[in-house]
Amino acid sequence: MNDIYNKIRNNDYTVIAGPCAVENKEMILSIARLAKAAGADVLRGGAYKMRTCVKDFQGLGKSGLKMLHDAGKEFNMPVISEITDIYDIDLFFDLVDIIQVGTRNMYNYPLLKALAKTKKAILLKRGMSATINEFLRACEYIEESGNNKIILCERGIRSFDTVTRNVLDVGAIAVLKGMCRYPVFADPSHACGRADIVSNLAYASAACGADGVMIEVHEDINAALSDASQAISIEELSTIIKKSKQIKKIVKK
Ligand code: PEP
Ligand code: MN
């Protein structure tokens, strides 16, 4: 799966989908099968979760990462998961195709520099309070250490409103496309934190030229162990993929 970065570069639109967190083996296998059938290209699943509340489900750690890896192998899908600690680099090197750096670690420059040395594709999420320039400067930490297999991901920024979890900065997607040569993705799930508008935000980001999207899905949306409020069904994912690709085509013309 080494060529996943080139595939993303050559694709018009790439879809990353999966649960917020890997909960058990059966669940990730089942979601992988359904997500692939719905048209997803890459399987996501958190194993090390950066939860605001320490009492919340923290992820299955190494065994969760292994389950994600095995599910990807079984269904021939590249996998992505978030790294939270520099000491886990070897583990991620062995088990995932794309290493995700979450919003809370965008400013963790030692982590970015160390990750760059793996030469793996890296999906860098925008810090929740980071300016566009700070986002691009963080990206340079990866570049300077010799890795330009970078995917930028707009995942919503903090604002004063509390009705949505964050505010998806679609203007940033459009502007980043002109400011750098890397694929720019959107994560509508974490941007709004509510399932009812994930589709709208996915469409808005495709209209702003996003090269792909990362969406959280669950088979039983009310039972998700993390981020249940923003999980959408596989049926909805399938519709979003079809419509987003059409929107991307229209705006590209
Ligand atoms: C995630 O994608 O699982 C995640 C925690 O995202 P973010 O870092 O954007 O909050
Ligand atoms: Mn989540």
Side-chain angles (χ1 to χ4, degrees):
M1 310 260 191
N2 282 337
D3 58 344
I4 179 59
Y5 191 73
N6 283 333
K7 277 199 191 137
I8 290 173
R9 290 214 75 106
N10 296 327
N11 273 356
D12 254 355
Y13 196 74
T14 300
V15 176
I16 303 172
C20 178
V22 178
E23 296 172 9
N24 57 62
K25 192 174 154 187
E26 292 69 37
M27 163 269 202
I28 193 67
L29 280 169
S30 167
I31 293 182
R33 181 174 57 78
L34 295 167
K36 178 151 190 173
D41 306 284
V42 178
L43 178 67
R44 67 152 282 149
Y48 296 87
K49 299 301 303 174
M50 296 284 278
R51 305 306 301 279
T52 301
C53 179
V54 69
K55 296 223 163 37
D56 288 343
F57 178 56
Q58 302 282 313
L60 298 178
K62 187 175 175 178
S63 65
L65 206 60
K66 181 92 177 52
M67 288 172 199
L68 178 74
H69 172 265
D70 293 350
K73 276 260 162 339
E74 174 101 16
F75 295 100
N76 197 25
M77 289 175 93
V79 298
I80 177 169
S81 196
E82 178 181 350
I83 191 162
T84 57
D85 195 317
I86 205 160
Y87 295 109
D88 293 325
I89 287 185
D90 289 345
L91 190 65
F92 275 71
F93 182 82
D94 290 341
L95 296 176
V96 308
D97 302 285
I98 305 173
I99 302 178
Q100 176 175 328
V101 176
T103 192
R104 294 167 180 81
N105 270 312
M106 188 207 83
Y107 292 107
N108 188 340
Y109 305 130
L111 177 65
L112 299 183
K113 287 198 270 187
L115 281 175
K117 300 211 173 74
T118 67
K119 307 280 193 241
K120 285 247 173 185
I122 295 170
L123 181 140
L124 179 66
K125 288 203 168 189
R126 181 178 179 182
M128 58 186 90
S129 303
T131 64
I132 293 171
N133 277 320
E134 284 168 343
F135 192 17
L136 289 171
R137 297 291 86 80
C139 180
E140 284 168 8
Y141 270 89
I142 305 172
E143 276 172 2
E144 283 295 306
S145 303
N147 185 347
N148 46 31
K149 288 196 259 173
I150 303 169
I151 301 156
L152 296 174
C153 184
E154 161 59 39
R155 50 78 69 201
I157 48 174
R158 280 223 161 136
S159 183
F160 47 83
D161 211 318
T162 51
V163 173
T164 55
R165 187 173 176 179
N166 292 289
V167 175
L168 183 69
D169 185 359
V170 285
I173 297 170
V175 93
L176 282 166
K177 294 279 300 166
M179 288 175 90
C180 72
R181 57 208 161 100
Y182 299 117
V184 180
F185 277 47
D187 170 352
S189 306
H190 291 91
C192 64
R194 41 188 292 175
D196 60 339
I197 59 166
V198 166
S199 61
N200 297 96
L201 296 192
Y203 303 146
S205 53
C208 283
D211 298 291
V213 76
M214 170 185 269
I215 295 183
E216 287 188 349
V217 295
H218 204 279
E219 270 193 290
D220 183 355
I221 47 181
N222 298 315
L225 292 184
S226 56
D227 286 348
S229 62
Q230 67 200 35
I232 62 158
S233 68
I234 305 281
E235 291 72 32
E236 192 174 1
L237 174 71
S238 164
T239 308
I240 292 176
I241 295 176
K242 286 190 198 97
K243 289 193 188 171
S244 299
K245 286 186 174 171
Q246 286 168 359
I247 292 169
K248 187 72 201 287
K249 270 210 184 87
I250 292 168
V251 293
K252 237 187 135 185
K253 272 182 193 161

